[in-house]
Amino acid sequence: MIIEALIAVTFLAALVVFVAPDEYAGRLAAALSALPILGSLWMWAQYDASGNALLGGSIAFETDVVWLTLGGLDLHWFVGVDGISLPLVVLTTILSTLAIVSAWTPITERESQFYGLMLFMEANLLGVFTALDFFAWFVFWEAVLVPMYFLIGVWGGPNRRYAAIKFFVYTNVASLVMFIGFIALVFGLGDSVSSMRLPEIAQALRAGELGAFAGLDAATLKTVAFVATFLGFAVKVPVAPLHTWLPDAHVEAPTPVSVMLAGVLLKMGTYALLRFNFTMMPDVATALVVPIAGIAVISVIYGAMLALAQQDLKRIVAYSSVSSMGYVILGLVAYTTYGVGGATFQMIAHGLISGLMFMAVGVIYNTTHTRMVGDMSGIADRMPLTAGIFVAGAFGYMGLPLMAGFAGEFFIFKGSFESTVHAGMPLFTAAAMFGIVIVAGYLLFAMQRTLFGPFSFDGEYEITNAPTQDVAPLAVLLLLTIVLGVAPDLFFGMIQDAVNPILTGGGL
């Protein structure tokens, strides 16, 4: 019952913080959010499952009870983790606490509501990564949108309402498209399934039990459903050209919200692609390998080029997330242990590094009240610790060895080069690797212009060292990035074990 306790404690913490006085809300939220960290680390230490939760493997910390019956299908409260979902649970709990601490300086109004919504979002994210029944999973998936909408719309920048509405409309329409595609699969399976449990549906699809539905034969139905679910999840990732909601959301969101958006919410999309599309319908994924790999490469290059053209530090990091998620898609479609495993590992690595970069930009903004590259230069002398961590995080983004980003990209490139799903995979991989050069270009440009050179600042604020409460979360994220880069097997071993069953059977 540890998963239920983890989710329930986080929901309860959100409720407590909602009614707490503003002057205590931030510290109280941070203290209560430490409880899920302890729970997730205990789960990691005690983890002993093997295989993939959807494909007959053992499920750790499992609970499976019938919730209700709807339309002849049993809806279950079915939760558990395997080597794919557990690292994301750990990432969610750690990043949530650090994001809350990073909010102590910039959030000064309606604090109890802000921190309560942050915890409410964390609870639903934990549900997304642990639910193994589609109905329960979809409830959590949709519920994540609500706090994010208000966090952007109430505490965001001047165009916050536009950004919040755009985020909500894009992701909600995408969810509808995904829902229609998946439900069509369930109807096509007919009597082959008796519930909405994801393992039951996955195994039936891979066994070829899908029938005709709505005038579509089984093969056409599966292809249409794959495309619908892929598009729905791709908006959340996001991939080009479905990414246009992301820069507005990041720029207008307060820094702690940007940390959660880039660090965890984007991983909902890649996690869902892996669980649904690439696990349940591998035959369709391999048949569509060329367009999917093409989308991945376009996202890598186009996202990096857009970042290169920006002057706003937050927009630079936002567009870099589009580029980084392209690597994840490339690894997934490679269908090798290192490809799919590396893509999963890269979700964790990018969560840490993107969170670090957004947080560092936020600390700079707290002091300078600007994010524009041309408004400041040489601030490293005035903010040496913040600047040093920013530089370290940027080099982590570039794939510096012994940092988590290098390990993730290395696994993906190795797996993609070795892929046999299509003869062109080495070419797609080589093209995607060029993105690293562009990443180095825009990050070095931003650092050189803002951190180094003669000191210049157009604002009226005094630039001094950031307070400890701002720098401490940065230091923790940098430490975790290095630890995971030095010892990737802290997660990669369990990830590989959960990934391997995906690569056999199912039409591959």
Side-chain angles (χ1 to χ4, degrees):
M1 300 292 285
I2 180 63
I3 293 175
E4 288 87 342
L6 211 63
I7 296 173
V9 164
T10 313
F11 272 127
L12 183 61
L15 181 61
V16 170
V17 171
F18 261 123
V19 299
D22 276 357
E23 58 265 33
Y24 304 118
R27 270 63 177 179
L28 179 61
L32 293 176
S33 70
L35 297 176
I37 293 180
L38 296 176
S40 68
L41 291 177
W42 182 86
M43 291 169 64
W44 173 76
Q46 299 295 318
Y47 180 79
D48 62 353
S50 61
N52 188 289
L54 268 60
L55 301 177
S58 57
I59 303 172
F61 315 112
E62 174 185 5
T63 301
D64 185 6
V65 295
V66 177
W67 184 1
L68 55 94
T69 300
L70 186 65
L73 292 172
D74 290 335
L75 307 182
H76 290 235
W77 173 256
F78 183 24
V79 294
V81 294
D82 61 5
I84 292 172
S85 53
L86 180 56
L88 290 164
V89 169
V90 176
L91 172 70
T92 300
T93 58
I94 292 175
L95 209 55
S96 296
T97 297
L98 296 177
I100 286 170
V101 174
S102 75
W104 289 353
T105 296
I107 302 302
T108 58
E109 297 179 350
R110 304 175 71 173
E111 295 175 50
S112 58
Q113 290 97 327
F114 178 88
Y115 293 111
L117 286 170
M118 289 284 284
L119 288 166
F120 182 76
M121 180 169 62
E122 178 188 0
N124 285 292
L125 285 167
L126 292 173
V128 168
F129 295 131
T130 56
L132 293 172
D133 178 272
F134 178 77
F135 184 79
W137 175 87
F138 190 73
V139 169
F140 286 123
W141 174 274
E142 288 294 281
V144 169
L145 303 181
V146 178
M148 181 57 72
Y149 170 80
F150 286 108
L151 288 166
I152 297 173
V154 176
W155 289 271
N159 294 320
R160 58 186 180 273
R161 290 181 178 84
Y162 168 77
I165 291 171
K166 189 174 182 180
F167 161 79
F168 194 85
V169 170
Y170 265 68
T171 52
N172 216 28
V173 170
S175 294
L176 176 62
V177 173
M178 173 273 294
F179 183 84
I180 292 172
F182 189 80
I183 291 300
L185 284 176
V186 174
F187 287 148
L189 287 169
D191 294 336
S192 299
V193 294
S194 60
S195 72
M196 300 285 275
R197 297 164 75 250
L198 297 181
E200 184 179 352
I201 294 169
Q203 292 167 41
L205 285 171
R206 288 173 70 103
E209 297 177 7
L210 185 67
F213 176 70
L216 301 176
D217 60 76
T220 304
L221 174 62
K222 185 184 282 191
T223 301
V224 170
F226 182 96
V227 172
T229 52
F230 185 93
L231 290 174
F233 297 138
V235 171
K236 186 79 79 175
V237 172
V239 299
L242 304 174
H243 67 284
T244 55
W245 63 269
L246 183 67
D248 292 320
H250 270 309
V251 168
E252 297 304 324
T255 295
V257 178
S258 288
V259 169
M260 291 302 295
L261 178 58
V264 186
L265 264 75
L266 303 190
K267 311 309 175 292
M268 290 169 57
T270 49
Y271 171 78
L273 283 172
L274 175 54
R275 282 298 202 204
F276 290 82
N277 295 74
F278 292 96
T279 297
M280 296 184 182
M281 297 172 278
D283 51 336
V284 182
T286 52
L288 298 176
V289 61
V290 171
I292 294 174
I295 289 171
V297 173
I298 291 171
S299 296
V300 169
I301 303 299
Y302 186 61
M305 293 297 292
L306 287 173
L308 188 62
Q310 304 305 311
Q311 295 293 319
D312 185 320
L313 288 173
K314 216 175 185 187
R315 279 190 177 272
I316 291 173
V317 182
Y319 279 117
S320 70
S321 291
V322 177
S323 182
S324 295
M325 290 297 97
Y327 289 124
V328 175
I329 302 298
L330 184 67
L332 291 177
V333 80
Y335 273 106
T336 59
T337 300
Y338 277 97
V340 182
T344 308
F345 187 90
Q346 180 68 357
M347 296 182 208
I348 311 302
H350 180 264
L352 296 174
I353 298 173
S354 65
L356 170 60
M357 294 297 289
F358 273 112
M359 213 175 278
V361 171
V363 173
I364 293 173
Y365 180 80
N366 291 343
T367 301
T368 65
H369 297 268
T370 181
R371 298 188 303 262
M372 303 307 293
V373 172
D375 290 349
M376 51 189 163
S377 66
I379 65 172
D381 289 340
R382 311 294 177 94
M383 305 178 69
L385 189 54
T386 302
I389 295 175
F390 185 93
V391 170
F395 277 105
Y397 234 132
M398 296 180 214
L400 185 71
L402 300 184
M403 299 187 80
F406 171 80
E409 290 175 1
F410 173 79
F411 294 148
I412 289 172
F413 293 149
K414 175 179 170 60
S416 298
F417 270 121
E418 295 175 347
S419 176
T420 59
V421 295
H422 191 273
M425 280 300 293
L427 294 177
F428 283 116
T429 307
M433 291 180 73
F434 182 70
I436 297 175
V437 179
I438 308 175
V439 169
Y442 64 70
L443 288 176
L444 290 173
F445 164 80
M447 289 190 296
Q448 182 63 37
R449 290 285 303 277
T450 58
L451 303 181
F452 306 113
F455 176 76
S456 173
F457 178 55
D458 293 341
E460 301 176 353
Y461 301 91
E462 182 181 0
I463 299 180
T464 59
N465 278 320
T468 302
Q469 67 188 38
D470 287 358
V471 177
L474 290 174
V476 173
L477 282 175
L478 179 59
L479 177 62
L480 292 175
T481 301
I482 295 171
V483 168
L484 203 57
V486 172
D489 267 350
L490 289 172
F491 285 139
F492 195 60
M494 66 172 65
I495 288 172
Q496 282 183 302
D497 182 63
V499 159
N500 285 331
I502 299 173
L503 309 176
T504 58
L508 280 171

